[in-house]
Amino acid sequence: MMNNFWVAVGAVVPLFTLLFMGLAIKKLKLMTDTELAHTNRMVFTLFFFCMMFYNIYTTDLAHTVRPYLMLFGGVGVLLVCLLAGLLTCFFDKDNRHRGAMIQAIFRSNFVLFGIPIVGNIFGDSALAIPSMMIAVIVPIYNVLAVFVLETFRGGRFALWPILRGILKNPMIMGAIAAVIMRLIDFPVPKPVLKGIGQVAAATTPVALIILGASFKGGSFHNHLPQLISCVTARLVIVPAVALSLAIYLGFRDIELVTLLAIFASPCAVASFAMAQQMGSDADLAGNCVVYTTGLSCFTIFCWVFVLKTLGLF
């Protein structure tokens, strides 16, 4: 039992140590908001590209591609979005709330939390599987988010501009470049690959520190019931249902923990920016990000502890 406890601690504590370092940077005013924005843009544009490229390029694709895992993850996200939409529309009549709530429930921060959770438990050699899942889940998140937010502000859903934007996403570009180079057997010089690997290794720590430094609290009194519903759904109900079904279907070890990272991670940071830009309730979206991220320290620990105690990885 104590061994399971320490496995759970080891999976969660490194993530939140980096977040608290970011909070310390904010408290000490070591970086301005402008500097944080520029650093965040650099991480998104360059670091994520290198991380995706390196993790996929240096792995045997024959053993990395898991069709059933990809299918379960993709269909699972679609179903969560559909159910969240039906329930939200039934219980809340305000369209500004609806878009923000649905997005908060189905769209997790898998990119920042998925990689380190798997890496902290199974080691860096296992990172290719969650990296490959990012190439599947992120496009689904982006398409669904635009569809949901446009629907509830009465806008028009245009698929081609969304797909074009997805293809320009640095993570997707990195994955595509790595797969192409592996398929044509193009050898990247070792000194160059080493440099890319060093940037890839720094991606998650830097991104989590910047995330911690970027946190801003907001008033939640005007939407407290909606906030409680989103936080409970994102951190408890969605992972409980998704992981139960995954266990029933036979997913174990790295695959199960990867699904844990998809369905139990807090709300995606990007959900706040999209809600703000597309006429949804940005305050509610921002509070969902803040409170799910803070509380996920405890909920992710509990999910990892339970799965390890049950002997599922």
Side-chain angles (χ1 to χ4, degrees):
M1 186 67 74
M2 284 303 297
N3 180 57
N4 299 338
F5 174 82
W6 289 115
V7 169
V9 169
V12 173
V13 169
L15 279 69
F16 289 90
T17 300
L18 293 167
L19 286 173
F20 283 119
M21 287 182 183
L23 289 172
I25 288 174
K26 181 181 180 68
K27 188 71 174 178
L28 297 172
K29 298 181 180 179
L30 297 179
M31 296 180 72
T32 65
D33 288 343
T34 301
E35 290 169 337
L36 283 172
H38 288 164
T39 305
N40 193 41
R41 184 179 178 186
M42 177 190 70
V43 170
F44 178 74
T45 304
L46 176 63
F47 281 42
F48 278 128
F49 177 92
C50 291
M51 179 187 72
M52 289 294 290
F53 180 89
Y54 185 82
N55 287 343
I56 294 175
Y57 182 83
T58 57
T59 306
D60 184 357
L61 293 179
H63 294 90
T64 300
V65 177
R66 309 286 177 95
Y68 292 114
L69 177 65
M70 293 177 174
L71 181 64
F72 184 93
V75 173
V77 170
L78 289 170
L79 289 176
V80 170
C81 180
L82 176 61
L83 292 173
L86 292 174
L87 292 172
T88 299
C89 289
F90 181 79
F91 288 107
D92 197 305
K93 305 306 179 185
D94 187 336
N95 278 345
R96 291 189 74 251
H97 287 165
R98 286 173 171 177
M101 290 177 69
I102 296 168
Q103 187 182 209
I105 293 170
F106 83 81
R107 190 178 190 183
S108 74
N109 209 352
F110 173 53
V111 174
L112 285 186
F113 282 74
I115 296 289
I117 288 174
V118 175
N120 291 340
I121 294 175
F122 295 102
D124 291 344
S125 60
L127 294 182
I129 292 174
S131 295
M132 190 65 73
M133 286 299 292
I134 287 174
V136 176
I137 298 299
V138 167
I140 295 175
Y141 279 163
N142 289 343
V143 172
L144 289 178
V146 174
F147 176 78
V148 167
L149 294 173
E150 284 288 7
T151 297
F152 290 107
R153 78 167 179 178
R156 180 173 174 270
F157 178 72
L159 182 60
W160 173 241
I162 298 171
L163 294 178
R164 191 168 51 203
I166 289 171
L167 290 175
K168 292 180 180 179
N169 185 301
M171 288 179 287
I172 305 304
M173 291 174 64
I176 292 172
V179 169
I180 291 174
M181 288 192 175
R182 286 299 303 269
L183 290 177
I184 65 175
D185 200 23
F186 181 86
V188 177
K190 287 187 177 180
V192 174
L193 190 61
K194 182 178 180 180
I196 294 173
Q198 289 172 334
V199 174
T203 301
T204 297
V206 174
L208 286 171
I209 289 172
I210 296 301
L211 174 60
S214 302
F215 272 171
K216 293 179 180 178
S219 174
F220 54 79
H221 302 290
N222 295 329
H223 49 242
L224 184 59
Q226 291 83 2
L227 178 61
I228 293 174
S229 300
C230 291
V231 171
T232 303
R234 177 67 257 159
L235 299 181
V236 180
I237 299 173
V238 169
V241 175
L243 293 176
S244 297
L245 183 57
I247 293 167
Y248 175 77
L249 293 176
F251 289 101
R252 298 291 186 272
D253 300 321
I254 297 174
E255 292 186 343
L256 183 60
V257 175
T258 299
L259 292 173
L260 164 70
I262 294 172
F263 293 105
S265 293
C267 299
V269 177
S271 62
F272 166 70
M274 289 194 66
Q276 194 173 43
Q277 294 167 15
M278 300 180 68
S280 190
D281 192 330
D283 288 338
L284 173 57
N287 277 319
C288 286
V289 173
V290 171
Y291 286 98
T292 56
T293 301
L295 293 172
S296 67
C297 174
F298 305 102
T299 57
I300 292 176
F301 169 85
C302 291
W303 288 120
V304 172
F305 181 74
V306 169
L307 296 182
K308 182 62 178 175
T309 301
L310 293 175
L312 297 171
F313 68 86

